Amino acid sequence: MGGEAQHGARWLSGTGPMVRRASLPGLKEAARRAPASLRNLRRPREAASGVGGAAAHPYQRLQDGDALLYVVRAQDSAGHDAYRVTGWCGDLKVHTAAESPRLRAPGVGLGNARRDGEYPADILHGIHLWSRNQRELGSWFNDIRARHGAALRLLVWDDTGYELPWELFLLPADAARGFQEAWLGAQVVTARWTTVHDSGHDLPRGTTDCRGRVLGYLHHEMADDGRVFHPYAHQLHAKMTAFLQDLDTPGEPTGLVYMGCHGTYGDSVPRLTLGNRTWAELDGQAMDTLRTDRSLVCLNACHSGRAVLNRAQGEQALRGFAELFLRKGAGGCIVTVGQVGDEEARALVRGLVEQVAEHPHSPVTRTLLAFRARAAEEFGAPSAVPPIRDDDGKVDKLGQKRVLRLLYAFMFHYYGHPLTTLRLAAREPRNAEEGGTR
């Protein structure tokens, strides 16, 4: 479960646990970059600082159909926390005016979808308002959609740590182009990126074809997750120590590293955990398997995609599990930014593996796109948000759960190259009775 205090559901009591998880496979080789702190990225500049040895625009390596949204911390004239955005897609550009950065929006983060948090409808209404207040950005999204259509690939490089829900950004309607209101992550292939500290990584360069077995750790409450990997070569562990030993020691080619466990989140790095290990303990592991095989990492754990600005330990750096595993060599990383229900998490894992088996050449980002698109279609028109209370003043629990299912689908984030693929090795017949969880 999440590390934040559980005070009992305000509106979901008796509906079962809201569990931790998030899983998926895919990412490409991350590229060369010099260390870049948030101090260096605080002010957006035409020549990006801290993104390599030579002064270069981060968009200069973009291919046709690629778009980059670069988001950095800022302050407004009154000293309030804010952010600036700069977007590139060929000659189509957008940027926040230096004198008017956007204020931080803590109410729109999907981490608020907790038992003791806000009503799901209020969170979604807030996200819609946040989106509509950024008209220039909404117009840019529609411009690049109109130019590239289904071939558009968006990389969101967000170094704010503000948990801005870009995948749920509400795209404005555009009748002339035939666009209706829609959520960005259900319309456009979307990947994320973050500054990878103490390494030579820049924006992801090239694609990674993650191939091989599944190496995993499953908390006993998530043991059923292992069934989905039965047709594939796999080594699943019930003990964290044995799993980390395998992860530290390269052996059989590993395409997917999977962790199904609890996760916690707090306001400092020591409060970030996966299973029974803290962020610092995992950071101390070599994880040479990742560096050797460029494996895709799937963290099916609540809050695994949330990060903190690590001032408590004397650095101006955003730290979280996505940054950690990318720095250790992962070809890509799938995480979740809140508490996700078991049903949704299992559906994602099952759907992902099925898609991988049927379409091994299809990027993982397209599997995520399809997952979100289905959830959006089931929800209906974005503006048709169910009211929180019925005419009798009672909370409409069914309506709120419908909104929550939509939020769940958009909690899964992928960090890495938008074209990364995953090919899981088939299980050899002679090993059909072997494997399992150790």
Side-chain angles (χ1 to χ4, degrees), residues 153-208:
R153 299 176 297 272
L154 174 66
L155 182 67
V156 179
W157 183 0
D158 187 335
D159 265 333
T160 64
Y162 292 164
E163 301 185 346
L164 301 171
W166 295 111
E167 289 80 357
L168 266 172
F169 187 97
L170 185 63
L171 299 169
D174 187 334
R177 290 166 166 166
F179 292 160
Q180 297 180 336
E181 276 193 332
W183 293 292
L184 177 66
Q187 298 293 317
V188 176
V189 166
T190 305
R192 288 195 173 225
W193 193 246
T194 185
T195 295
V196 180
H197 302 284
D198 309 318
S199 73
H201 292 308
D202 194 328
L203 292 175
R205 293 180 190 168
T207 60
T208 297

Side-chain angles (χ1 to χ4, degrees), residues 198-416:
D198 309 318
S199 73
H201 292 308
D202 194 328
L203 292 175
R205 293 180 190 168
T207 60
T208 297
D209 183 13
C210 305
R211 298 191 186 196
R213 65 168 179 168
V214 179
L215 173 61
Y217 164 72
L218 298 176
H219 184 273
H220 67 86
E221 293 180 7
M222 286 80 158
D224 284 349
D225 288 10
R227 294 182 182 181
V228 76
F229 302 122
H230 183 79
Y232 307 99
H234 61 272
Q235 180 58 64
L236 304 178
H237 294 276
K239 302 293 185 182
M240 181 71 80
T241 298
F243 163 73
L244 292 176
Q245 287 173 345
D246 265 7
L247 190 58
D248 282 350
T249 309
E252 183 179 348
T254 300
L256 173 64
V257 172
Y258 180 89
M259 296 182 71
C261 57
H262 298 272
T264 66
Y265 171 78
D267 58 2
S268 63
V269 166
R271 297 185 181 181
L272 304 180
T273 69
L274 285 177
N276 57 5
R277 294 295 195 275
T278 66
W279 184 94
E281 288 171 330
L282 289 173
D283 191 49
Q285 299 288 147
M287 301 188 187
D288 288 337
T289 291
L290 297 183
R291 205 164 301 282
T292 299
D293 297 332
R294 306 294 295 156
S295 315
L296 175 69
V297 172
C298 296
L299 304 179
N300 202 4
C302 280
H303 310 299
S304 57
R306 304 177 75 179
V308 298
L309 187 58
N310 196 27
R311 289 173 175 157
Q313 295 179 345
E315 60 176 3
Q316 191 82 350
L318 200 64
R319 298 289 189 178
F321 290 113
E323 187 272 339
L324 186 156
F325 283 97
L326 290 171
R327 178 161 38 84
K328 295 292 184 179
C333 194
I334 295 163
V335 294
T336 189
V337 293
Q339 294 178 338
V340 182
D342 274 339
E343 182 179 347
E344 286 72 18
R346 292 185 191 284
L348 179 62
V349 179
R350 185 168 56 250
L352 172 68
V353 174
E354 289 172 352
Q355 287 295 311
V356 166
E358 295 175 9
H359 308 287
H361 299 288
S362 180
V364 172
T365 49
R366 289 208 171 271
T367 303
L368 267 176
L369 174 64
F371 180 76
R372 295 181 187 125
R374 284 193 298 272
E377 183 178 6
E378 291 173 1
F379 182 85
S383 59
V385 181
I388 294 173
R389 299 182 183 277
D390 59 24
D391 291 339
D392 295 328
K394 297 180 180 179
V395 173
D396 179 5
K397 293 183 179 180
L398 291 178
Q400 293 309 293
K401 285 195 282 186
R402 188 161 71 86
V403 181
L404 186 61
R405 284 195 296 271
L406 176 79
L407 299 183
Y408 280 161
F410 285 78
M411 283 186 186
F412 297 101
H413 293 175
Y414 162 74
Y415 284 79

Side-chain angles (χ1 to χ4, degrees), residues 83 102 105 108 121-135 165 168-170 181 183 382 385:
Y83 64 94
R102 286 285 171 190
V108 302
D122 274 342
I123 296 173
L124 190 56
H125 279 307
I127 292 171
H128 288 178
L129 180 62
W130 168 77
S131 305
R132 290 170 177 147
N133 283 338
Q134 301 182 80
R135 292 194 180 100
L168 266 172
F169 187 97
L170 185 63
E181 276 193 332
W183 293 292
V385 181

Side-chain angles (χ1 to χ4, degrees), residues 25-37:
L27 167 83
K28 194 49 191 194
E29 289 187 334
R32 312 280 175 242
R33 112 177 347 204
S37 69

